[in-house]
Amino acid sequence: MKTVKVIIAILASVITSCNNFEEINTNSDSSTNVKSSLLATGAIMSIVKPNGSDAFFSHLQLDKYVTWGATQVPEVYNSFGRESFAGYSTIKDCALMAELASIQDKDAYQALSLFIKSVILYGYTHNLGDIPYTDILKGKEGILKPTYTPQSEVLNGILNELENSYTLFCKANDFEGDPIFNGNVEQWAKVVSVFEMRVLMELSKREKDENLKVRDRFKSIYKSNKLMKGNEDNLQLTFSDKQGQLYPVNNSIYKAWEYPMLSSLLINLLKENKDSRLFYFADPVKVEIDNGTPEDCWEAYYGVDVSQEFDKVKKIFSAKKYSPINRRYTHNISGEPFITIGYVEQNFLLAEAALRGWISEDVDRFYKEAIKASMEFVRDNTPDKKEFNHGVKLSDEVINSFLNSAIIQLTGEFEKDLRKIIEQKYISMFMQTPYLPYYDYRRTGYPDFPINENTNLNFKNPTKIPVRWLYPSDEFSYNKENVEKSLETQYGGIDDVNNVMWMLK
């Protein structure tokens, strides 16, 4: 369901049947024994490769970008299921990767191991609360049922390991087995910096915590660390027309491409701002085109209230009175690169940090750079064809005009500016960075996700969207004492999607 939820399946497919993404890193004449480079490939792919088929849209549905025309999808209506701890297997492989590394490669593989471990464990703790942390990977010591570590300690440990990862990357040699940056350790150091800033920003409600030192850590990263300089530094997976490298929802391999219906939340934000990314994100409403509305006209596009009853959604779908996703995603063979951690996000993080006073910089500078980079990314990864831009090109002039438009300017008022930053960040994350918009909504309330008490599957609190997932079923079967003890300590013994975890208090 989430980025980390299919790690074991991805890793298995990488190791047992390498597709073209990994073949470039495999020497057919070399030994097939497991070695650090092969483990590195699998571990990296586990965090950058998106889900395929219908699962690709799960985060887009929960993030209120799309609804579905064929069937009622639980994620659209805020049904939060159980997490999976499958990623602990990848953490074990990462530890082996570092252990097997030669002396000259030890720093790089240790840095990568710490980073991927942090990504996986952060995914778990900010979805659940307390997690197995201190006692993991201690099977040789006889610890087969790890205790749960309080979230505050987990987060402190993750931040420390990210700092260690960054330090190791800065002194390491380039390494083999990297399908993204070809083992460039400087690129990886930049990625670690941005991810640590993400973690710190998602701890904004705990910025005064004396142990975490959120503000000080963020400021130190900004002042001292290597940071991304452009979209070329993105941690992203690029697709092509080669077998095994097609974009996950290309129509040649994905037959349900007609079912996604864009939300009124996304479409209205774009139309209100006269944001030309609309013409790259959406296709026009068929009824409007049939009635003679030009495809380069704002009125040719509108979305669907994703919170309304599915019967109404289905009628809208049947009548073709909605904007589908742009065919550049489904009919352009390479789609667009899939970003896990990127330059646009970095600038939105810096803009919010400046707004909060964590760094002494101009908020507007980073806010505008984030929007500009997002628009350039969309333009640069779209074939210059009318079928994909509907005759509205994101030229430098169009981008500059948008950046100077009155409606997107910051006001100098904290709450209004926070809303603008998060809304623009939301727009930029369309089809990218799974679940990040939901986490922003969870901590800030922006953008204003629609909630319908009559359709909300959060039955215990139908006026709210859940704030967490549930612990894995396997934990109640094989680690029952520890998971129940943790639930008692955190949530009064109840595993409920409405429980507010430590980091959100």
Side-chain angles (χ1 to χ4, degrees):
M1 181 178 178
K2 296 160 285 299
T3 308
V4 297
K5 201 166 181 181
V6 293
I7 284 174
I8 192 70
I10 295 172
L11 182 63
S13 67
V14 167
I15 292 178
T16 61
S17 59
C18 288
N19 64 26
N20 297 66
F21 281 121
E22 290 80 50
E23 285 175 3
I24 60 172
N25 298 285
T26 304
N27 184 344
S28 59
D29 296 325
S30 66
S31 170
T32 57
N33 292 333
V34 173
K35 53 185 179 179
S36 294
S37 58
L38 181 60
L39 291 167
T41 303
I44 292 168
M45 290 299 293
S46 77
I47 65 169
V48 302
K49 190 174 182 179
N51 294 340
S53 190
D54 290 352
F56 179 85
F57 289 98
S58 291
H59 70 96
L60 296 161
Q61 292 156 348
L62 189 144
D63 290 335
K64 313 308 175 191
Y65 287 118
V66 303
T67 189
W68 208 248
T71 56
Q72 182 170 338
V73 177
E75 285 86 353
V76 175
Y77 298 102
N78 309 315
S79 176
F80 282 42
R82 294 193 177 276
E83 179 61 275
S84 164
F85 280 165
Y88 280 103
S89 177
T90 300
I91 295 172
K92 183 178 179 180
D93 288 332
C94 284
L96 179 61
M97 171 184 69
E99 179 184 331
L100 294 176
S102 62
I103 294 175
Q104 64 265 30
D105 294 330
K106 184 72 72 175
D107 286 343
Y109 288 121
Q110 180 64 26
L112 183 64
S113 176
L114 289 170
F115 171 68
I116 292 177
K117 175 186 176 184
S118 297
V119 170
I120 294 170
L121 293 181
Y122 183 67
Y124 291 157
T125 191
H126 80 164
N127 285 342
L128 297 168
D130 298 357
I131 60 168
Y133 180 72
T134 305
D135 287 342
I136 64 172
L137 306 185
K138 291 184 178 181
K140 292 182 179 179
E141 301 173 28
I143 301 177
L144 302 178
K145 297 180 179 181
T147 60
Y148 279 61
T149 304
Q151 187 177 55
S152 59
E153 295 178 28
V154 174
L155 291 165
N156 196 44
I158 287 172
L159 290 168
N160 289 336
E161 291 191 313
L162 286 170
E163 290 173 3
N164 192 12
S165 174
Y166 177 83
T167 299
L168 288 168
F169 271 131
C170 286
K171 67 177 184 177
N173 299 315
D174 290 352
F175 62 96
E176 295 182 349
D178 173 12
I180 307 299
F181 297 126
N182 198 29
N184 187 314
V185 292
E186 183 174 352
Q187 291 292 115
W188 280 103
K190 295 175 183 179
V191 169
V192 173
S193 295
V194 180
F195 183 73
E196 187 176 357
M197 288 196 297
R198 179 197 291 183
V199 173
L200 291 165
M201 188 55 69
E202 291 188 23
L203 286 166
S204 59
K205 289 183 178 294
R206 287 289 182 176
E207 67 173 286
K208 295 181 180 179
D209 185 271
E210 294 182 359
N211 291 321
L212 293 178
K213 294 181 171 55
V214 172
R215 294 170 60 121
D216 291 343
R217 287 182 193 257
F218 195 103
K219 185 176 182 179
S220 177
I221 294 170
Y222 175 65
K223 282 194 167 185
S224 305
N225 283 25
K226 301 177 189 294
L227 297 176
M228 295 181 180
K229 296 181 179 179
N231 288 323
E232 65 275 8
D233 290 330
N234 291 346
L235 178 62
Q236 64 184 29
L237 188 63
T238 301
F239 305 91
S240 73
D241 60 355
K242 296 179 181 179
Q243 184 178 1
Q245 292 191 12
L246 274 67
Y247 191 68
V249 293
N250 182 267
N251 71 309
S252 65
I253 57 174
Y254 181 61
K255 303 309 177 185
W257 60 270
E258 293 182 286
Y259 295 139
M261 307 165 67
L262 291 183
S263 72
S264 53
L265 172 62
L266 175 65
I267 296 287
N268 290 348
L269 282 173
L270 292 163
K271 289 174 69 173
E272 288 166 7
N273 294 336
K274 290 293 186 284
D275 185 336
S276 296
R277 282 174 290 186
L278 170 70
F279 302 98
Y280 288 73
F281 288 175
D283 273 354
V285 178
K286 185 179 185 304
V287 171
E288 293 295 333
I289 297 301
D290 291 345
N291 288 339
T293 306
E295 63 183 298
D296 62 353
C297 181
W298 301 97
E299 286 68 32
Y301 300 80
Y302 40 86
V304 178
D305 176 3
V306 300
S307 70
Q308 65 184 314
E309 292 83 355
F310 177 68
D311 286 347
K312 294 180 179 179
V313 172
K314 193 171 183 178
K315 289 179 181 179
I316 295 171
F317 178 77
S318 298
K320 304 298 182 185
K321 293 183 177 180
Y322 67 95
S323 282
I325 61 171
N326 193 299
R327 290 198 174 201
R328 72 187 184 93
Y329 300 106
T330 58
H331 287 67
N332 172 32
I333 202 74
S334 58
E336 70 178 11
F338 186 79
I339 302 170
T340 300
I341 301 167
Y343 179 68
V344 171
E345 179 190 355
Q346 171 185 289
N347 280 281
F348 278 121
L349 289 168
L350 291 171
E352 187 175 345
L355 181 68
R356 293 182 180 278
W358 294 4
I359 58 175
S360 299
E361 296 290 353
D362 179 18
V363 181
D364 193 66
R365 168 191 163 197
F366 296 116
Y367 170 67
K368 296 287 182 63
E369 178 60 21
I371 297 171
K372 178 173 178 286
S374 171
M375 290 182 141
E376 290 175 344
F377 175 86
V378 171
R379 178 192 64 194
D380 296 345
N381 288 287
T382 303
D384 188 11
K385 297 180 179 180
K386 189 176 181 181
E387 64 181 301
F388 299 140
N389 61 33
H390 304 296
V392 182
K393 296 183 181 182
L394 279 171
S395 63
D396 288 343
E397 292 75 18
V398 168
I399 294 173
N400 289 332
S401 176
F402 180 73
L403 294 175
N404 291 315
S405 61
I407 195 168
I408 71 160
Q409 302 307 310
L410 300 177
T411 66
E413 296 182 37
F414 178 87
E415 204 60 36
K416 289 182 179 180
D417 288 351
L418 179 63
R419 181 175 192 133
K420 285 179 179 287
I421 290 169
I422 299 300
E423 286 181 348
Q424 283 297 322
K425 187 177 178 183
Y426 177 78
I427 291 169
S428 76
M429 297 295 162
F430 178 61
M431 301 292 280
Q432 301 289 343
T433 320
Y435 298 96
L436 192 57
Y438 161 74
Y439 298 124
D440 281 337
Y441 167 81
R442 186 175 70 169
R443 70 182 176 86
T444 70
Y446 304 124
D448 189 11
F449 282 4
I451 301 173
N452 184 334
E453 294 183 43
N454 296 319
T455 62
N456 192 356
L457 296 179
N458 183 11
F459 300 116
K460 289 186 179 181
N461 200 342
T463 64
K464 301 288 185 181
I465 291 176
V467 293
R468 63 181 292 273
W469 280 262
L470 304 176
Y471 283 107
S473 297
D474 285 349
E475 285 295 285
F476 292 95
S477 298
Y478 303 110
N479 197 14
K480 183 180 175 71
E481 181 179 350
N482 287 319
V483 69
E484 288 185 346
K485 182 179 179 180
S486 176
L487 280 170
E488 188 64 41
T489 302
Q490 294 179 91
Y491 308 127
I494 300 172
D495 194 15
D496 185 82
V497 295
N498 297 294
N499 292 334
V500 180
M501 63 188 68
W502 180 86
M503 67 182 289
L504 296 176
K505 293 179 179 177

